[in-house]
């Protein structure tokens, strides 16, 4: 498994505090030499550390708007959460502004979300075995499962994400309508998160991604906002319904599926808890599990600007506003599905998801068992305060790091202090001893 | 080499319920046990733990892990099971109403434990307690 990730650290800004190591769901961060360091293989790009860093030292690598100029024909794929960033009454305005800032065309990811919904319904009807089916829309959650819940991989919905479906359709459509060859079409996702960037670089379930670049919502926010004010004429560009746009907030995907037995959970730590329960076989009556890494869902993505609660409310309003046009929107969905003769098989995963074995102590079970015992012995010597001063998030992680050879027991300040005390006592003892040349027995 | 994990389970404490099986799972993940095996152990150990929480006056959950197999032992002191055959039936439950309202005690515990383990043995004496011994082969 390739272990690319998109979250980076600005060393200048990092103070070496322990806020981020405490919040990372996969224990991917350590502090070394007063700077945080991300262990590449463990990071799932959830963005939790971006949110928690008080010094804003974590950032996500995404493409700049200039990147689009490498292509002859440029298409923007706005994420549904993009709609929630601005106070607008008409979605067409927002889409039109994307043309104004340099794109030649837009294709709404929200529309692709409806297409994914359509096929997911089919999949659920045919699927009888693994329950609950786990949504694959949030790449951070998929990676979390690959890393921490390998036994739940088979529950993951093996269907491409709306972003990917949008990119696929956009490319096909433009090739057909404009007679431009695929290599000259640049398709860019306007993204709420870094996890999508990582996905594009190393796709999950697919060999390649149709997306050519990922641009952070926050990077175009200012420009879009100022253009919105100037806007005069508007083209009819919006084809996504309230259901598709609803995907931006937690629960929107499940709502669109129109099933009753679903659970939707947002915030990576909450997702971890519920996955634990699924692992225990506790949620068998549930048909669908929608887990999103960000609090509130994608509206709370680390690369968004607007307050997630305000954003969620906007999504709700936009969705209900578009509701009365529901029929004409579903006509659009059908039209797209038919004109590209899309079938479920076309968007099913091409390859199985692998497990990410970074939590294993050793690939050989007997050696792993030995290491486990060593780990427990070390752990029994540590104070169990989880203070983080050693640079590992917990005493348990430090013990693991020691067993793996990345740390020493004296990294623990308590053990270090004990050792110094012992040493000091020894020094006092030694200093009381006189060299034989000075020792006098005749006193 | 053996890894021996033992946990005391508090009866009636639904807040702590599930912690022991979580620790067993965590250990198996560290050891790199295959997902299919992990899944089985997760289910049987959780069910066994819940049974002690719901039905007993206290007990222990043990996991003995070796290279080839994982043994799960649940032993409690409690009322014991009057009719084992009946208890093994899906949907049969003696759990009181208030526990069923919490979503537990649906009478799937024992049948599930049997279904997901490769070897299953139950021993119970009325008034003395219950011991369940399960093996899941690691291959
Ligand atoms: S992005 Fe998430 S997984 Fe990666 S280092 Fe930050 S908190 Fe950890
Ligand atoms: S919830 Fe949405 S924004 Fe957050 S990581 Fe997942 S896909 Fe990205």
């Amino acid at each position: 498994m390739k272990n690319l990730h998109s979250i980076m650290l600005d060393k200048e800004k990092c103070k070496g505090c322990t806020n981020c190591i405490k919040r990372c769901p996969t224990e991917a961060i350590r502090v070394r030499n007063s700077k945080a360091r991300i262990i590449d293989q463990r990071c799932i790009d959830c963005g939790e550390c971006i949110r928690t860093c008080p010094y804003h030292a974590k950032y996500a690598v995404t493409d700049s708007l200039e990147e689009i100029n490498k292509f002859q024909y440029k298409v923007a794929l706005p994420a549904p959460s993009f709609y929630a960033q601005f106070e607008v009454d008409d979605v067409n305005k927002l889409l039109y502004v994307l043309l104004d800032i340099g794109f030649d065309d837009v294709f709404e990811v929200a529309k692709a979300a409806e297409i994914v919904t359509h096929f997911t319904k089919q999949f659920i009807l045919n699927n009888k075995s693994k329950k609950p089916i786990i949504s694959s829309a949030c790449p951070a959650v998929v990676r979390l499962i690959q890393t921490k819940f390998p036994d739940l991989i088979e529950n993951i919905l093996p269907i491409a994400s709306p972003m990917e479906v949008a990119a696929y359709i956009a490319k096909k459509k433009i090739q057909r309508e404009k007679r431009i060859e695929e290599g000259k079409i640049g398709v860019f996702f306007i993204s709420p998160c870094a996890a999508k960037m990582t996905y594009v670089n190393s796709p999950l379930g697919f060999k390649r991604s149709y997306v050519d670049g990922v641009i952070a919502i926050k990077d175009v926010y200012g420009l879009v906002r100022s253009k919105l004010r100037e806007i005069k004429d508007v083209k009819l560009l919006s084809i996504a319904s309230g259901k598709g746009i609803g995907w931006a907030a937690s629960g929107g995907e499940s709502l669109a599926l129109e099933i009753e037995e679903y659970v939707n959970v947002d915030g990576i730590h909450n997702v971890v808890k519920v996955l634990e329960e699924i692992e225990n076989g506790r949620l068998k009556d549930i048909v669908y599990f929608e887990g999103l890494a960000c609090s509130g869902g994608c509206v709370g993505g680390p690369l968004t600007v607007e307050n997630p609660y305000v954003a969620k409310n906007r999504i709700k309003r936009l969705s209900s506003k578009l509701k009365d046009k529901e029929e004409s929107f579903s006509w659009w969905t059908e039209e797209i599905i038919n004109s590209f003769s899309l079938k479920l098989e076309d968007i099913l995963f091409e390859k199985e998801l692998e497990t990410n074995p970074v939590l294993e102590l050793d690939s050989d079970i007997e050696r792993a068992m030995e290491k486990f015992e060593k780990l427990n012995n070390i752990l029994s010597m540590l104070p169990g305060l989880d203070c983080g001063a050693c640079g590992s998030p917990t005493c348990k992680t430090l013990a693991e790091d020691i067993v793996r050879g990345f740390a020493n027991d004296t990294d623990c300040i308590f053990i270090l202090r004990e050792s110094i005390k012992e040493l000091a006592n020894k020094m006092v003892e030694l200093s009381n001893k006189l060299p034989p040349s000075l020792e006098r027995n005749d006193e | 080499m053996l890894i021996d994990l033992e946990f005391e389970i508090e009866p009636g404490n639904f807040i702590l319920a599930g912690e022991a099986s979580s620790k067993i799972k965590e250990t198996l993940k560290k050891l790199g046990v295959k997902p299919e095996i992990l899944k089985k152990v997760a289910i049987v150990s959780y069910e066994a733990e819940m049974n002690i929480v719901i039905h007993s006056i206290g007990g222990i959950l043990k996991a003995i892990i070796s290279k080839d197999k994982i043994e799960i032992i649940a032993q409690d002191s409690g009322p014991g099971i009057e009719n084992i055959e009946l208890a093994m039936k899906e949907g049969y439950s003696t759990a009181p109403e208030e526990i069923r309202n919490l979503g537990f005690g649906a009478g799937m515990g024992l049948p599930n434990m049997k279904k997901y383990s490769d070897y299953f043995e139950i021993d119970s004496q009325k008034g003395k307690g219950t011991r369940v011994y399960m093996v899941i082969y690691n291959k």
Side-chain angles (χ1 to χ4, degrees):
Chain A
M1 177 167 161
K2 263 199 258 162
N3 291 299
L4 293 161
H5 72 95
S6 311
I7 308 281
M8 297 288 159
L9 178 83
D10 184 339
K11 278 208 170 144
E12 295 284 299
K13 288 185 182 165
C14 179
K15 295 248 191 287
C17 72
T18 50
N19 285 300
C20 62
I21 63 174
K22 291 270 171 209
R23 290 289 298 174
C24 173
T26 55
E27 299 177 327
I29 317 178
R30 303 288 184 274
V31 174
R32 293 280 177 270
N33 299 323
S34 303
K35 301 288 168 201
R37 227 193 56 206
I38 299 174
I39 303 168
D40 289 358
Q41 282 164 298
R42 285 190 175 223
C43 175
I44 57 166
D45 289 290
C46 66
E48 202 58 23
C49 54
I50 296 187
R51 270 187 284 261
T52 37
C53 177
Y55 306 102
H56 307 291
K58 300 276 195 321
Y59 64 97
V61 185
T62 47
D63 296 308
S64 69
L65 188 57
E66 283 84 67
E67 287 289 311
I68 70 173
N69 297 320
K70 288 187 183 153
F71 294 88
Q72 184 195 326
Y73 197 83
K74 313 149 184 75
V75 190
L77 306 181
S81 49
F82 177 74
Y83 301 72
Q85 306 298 307
F86 311 93
E87 186 64 63
V88 280
D89 47 353
D90 181 0
V91 173
N92 286 301
K93 278 190 196 162
L94 267 178
L95 302 178
Y96 187 73
V97 165
L98 289 172
L99 302 185
D100 211 22
I101 68 170
F103 289 97
D104 300 304
D105 216 330
V106 289
F107 190 87
E108 296 174 274
V109 174
K111 181 87 273 173
E114 288 158 45
I115 295 169
V116 170
T117 299
H118 170 88
F119 287 113
T120 305
K121 280 184 186 168
Q122 276 185 17
F123 183 88
I124 292 177
L125 274 182
N126 299 330
N127 178 74
K128 298 267 180 300
S129 54
K130 290 141 218 142
K131 274 207 289 180
I133 296 166
I134 300 175
S135 163
S136 54
C138 173
V141 169
V142 174
R143 281 182 199 276
L144 174 76
I145 292 173
Q146 286 178 296
T147 309
K148 270 185 113 155
F149 300 94
D151 50 326
L152 294 182
I153 287 183
E154 53 175 22
N155 292 55
I156 294 175
L157 177 74
I159 287 183
S161 66
M163 168 185 82
E164 205 50 48
V165 172
Y168 174 80
I169 295 173
K171 279 203 169 150
K172 291 273 178 265
K173 193 162 169 272
I174 287 144
Q175 271 170 278
R176 185 189 284 179
E177 286 170 8
K178 311 265 175 211
R179 309 238 157 260
I180 300 174
E181 45 180 292
E182 198 186 326
K184 294 191 172 151
I185 309 166
V187 166
F188 289 82
F189 181 59
I190 315 291
S191 177
C193 75
K196 293 285 189 188
M197 179 82 200
T198 312
Y199 176 98
V200 168
N201 289 331
S202 99
L204 302 162
F206 292 91
K207 293 189 200 102
R208 60 163 282 198
S209 167
Y210 284 88
V211 180
D212 299 292
V214 175
I215 296 169
I217 287 180
K218 70 173 179 55
D219 290 347
V220 289
Y221 178 80
L223 189 58
V224 170
R225 232 187 110 125
S226 63
K227 294 272 184 191
L228 266 176
R229 266 187 243 124
E230 304 162 8
I231 214 165
K232 278 178 213 80
D233 64 326
V234 180
K235 269 200 228 169
L236 205 65
L237 294 163
S238 144
I239 55 167
S241 76
K243 282 203 179 112
I245 293 172
W247 273 59
S250 172
E253 180 188 355
S254 303
L255 220 58
L257 279 173
E258 293 166 325
I259 42 173
E260 274 173 27
E261 299 84 7
Y262 73 86
V263 165
N264 73 285
V265 177
D266 56 324
I268 193 76
H269 295 285
N270 299 329
V271 172
V272 169
K273 275 195 210 133
V274 181
L275 288 176
E276 278 254 350
E277 297 211 18
I278 295 180
E279 203 170 50
N280 292 339
R282 280 274 293 143
L283 269 72
K284 277 190 301 272
D285 300 338
I286 297 301
V287 174
Y288 201 74
F289 172 73
E290 175 191 339
L292 295 169
C294 299
S295 135
C298 299
V299 285
L303 307 182
T304 58
V305 177
E306 190 53 276
N307 171 299
Y309 303 101
V310 172
K312 197 164 182 177
N313 179 266
R314 278 199 196 134
I315 288 294
K316 223 165 84 192
R317 266 189 297 156
L318 267 182
S319 295
S320 59
K321 202 169 156 191
L322 292 172
K323 218 175 196 139
D324 44 336
K325 297 188 196 152
E326 214 61 74
E327 259 173 49
S328 60
F329 286 124
S330 59
W331 177 85
W332 265 109
T333 312
E334 256 174 59
E335 167 69 16
I336 293 170
I337 291 175
N338 291 338
S339 76
F340 292 96
S341 38
L342 269 182
K343 286 182 295 306
L344 175 60
E345 295 76 59
D346 297 328
I347 59 168
L348 278 180
F349 282 6
E350 299 169 338
K351 53 174 196 171
E352 277 180 30
L353 292 170
E354 299 155 45
T355 61
N356 178 10
V358 286
L359 299 187
E360 274 178 35
L361 291 169
D362 202 292
S363 55
D364 176 83
I365 183 158
E366 292 202 66
R367 251 189 269 147
M369 287 169 87
E370 279 163 27
K371 286 187 185 168
F372 182 80
E373 243 188 16
K374 216 167 134 196
L375 189 158
N376 277 343
N377 289 338
I378 296 168
L379 192 58
S380 65
M381 282 162 16
L382 297 174
L385 292 173
D386 295 341
C387 67
C390 59
S392 299
T394 58
C395 293
K396 218 185 207 166
T397 337
L398 175 65
E400 234 185 283
D401 288 348
I402 296 172
V403 168
R404 289 178 196 270
F406 304 142
N408 294 309
D409 56 356
T410 45
D411 291 351
C412 170
I413 53 166
F414 296 92
I415 291 195
L416 183 68
R417 199 160 65 175
E418 277 302 308
S419 317
I420 291 176
K421 206 164 110 193
E422 262 170 47
L423 198 65
N425 285 342
K426 195 125 198 195
M427 280 165 79
V428 171
E429 203 181 290
L430 284 174
S431 66
N432 286 334
K433 286 203 170 124
L434 291 170
S437 57
L438 292 181
E439 260 176 286
R440 283 189 211 133
N441 295 325
D442 52 357
E443 252 188 18
Chain B
M1 177 163 196
L2 288 179
I3 289 176
D4 207 328
L5 306 171
E6 185 175 322
F7 306 92
E8 232 169 276
I9 311 294
E10 242 184 79
N13 191 339
F14 286 91
I15 309 268
L16 294 182
E19 268 190 15
S21 31
S22 274
K23 287 193 179 128
I24 296 173
K25 273 191 295 187
E26 202 191 307
T27 306
L28 295 176
K29 286 175 191 175
K30 286 211 170 89
L31 300 179
V33 165
K34 280 203 229 73
E36 314 86 82
I37 310 292
L38 187 59
K39 188 163 226 161
K40 290 187 189 172
V41 180
I43 293 173
V44 308
S45 61
Y46 180 78
E47 294 286 7
E49 183 174 359
M50 288 317 291
N51 266 357
I52 300 178
V53 174
I54 298 169
H55 297 289
S56 82
I57 51 166
I60 51 160
L61 183 71
K62 267 171 85 104
I64 304 168
I65 307 163
S66 63
K67 190 179 163 220
D68 311 306
K69 61 176 193 269
I70 297 133
E71 294 159 275
I72 303 283
I73 300 146
Q75 181 146 25
D76 68 44
S77 14
I81 301 170
E82 205 160 331
N83 185 338
I84 294 186
E85 210 176 308
L86 203 55
M88 291 304 298
K89 274 209 182 117
E90 290 190 9
Y92 177 82
S93 174
T94 55
E97 183 77 21
E98 64 272 21
I99 282 168
R100 285 199 229 189
N101 287 343
L102 285 171
F104 300 105
M108 289 306 289
L110 287 171
N112 266 343
M113 280 148 74
K114 186 168 180 192
K115 182 170 159 200
Y116 288 101
S117 51
D118 297 321
Y119 177 81
F120 178 91
E121 194 184 281
I122 181 165
D123 192 3
S124 185
Q125 256 185 329
K126 200 167 159 11
K128 292 235 169 72
T130 305
R131 180 179 188 271
V132 184
Y133 173 74
M134 291 169 285
V135 181
I136 287 158
Y137 292 105
N138 182 26
K139 43 174 191 243

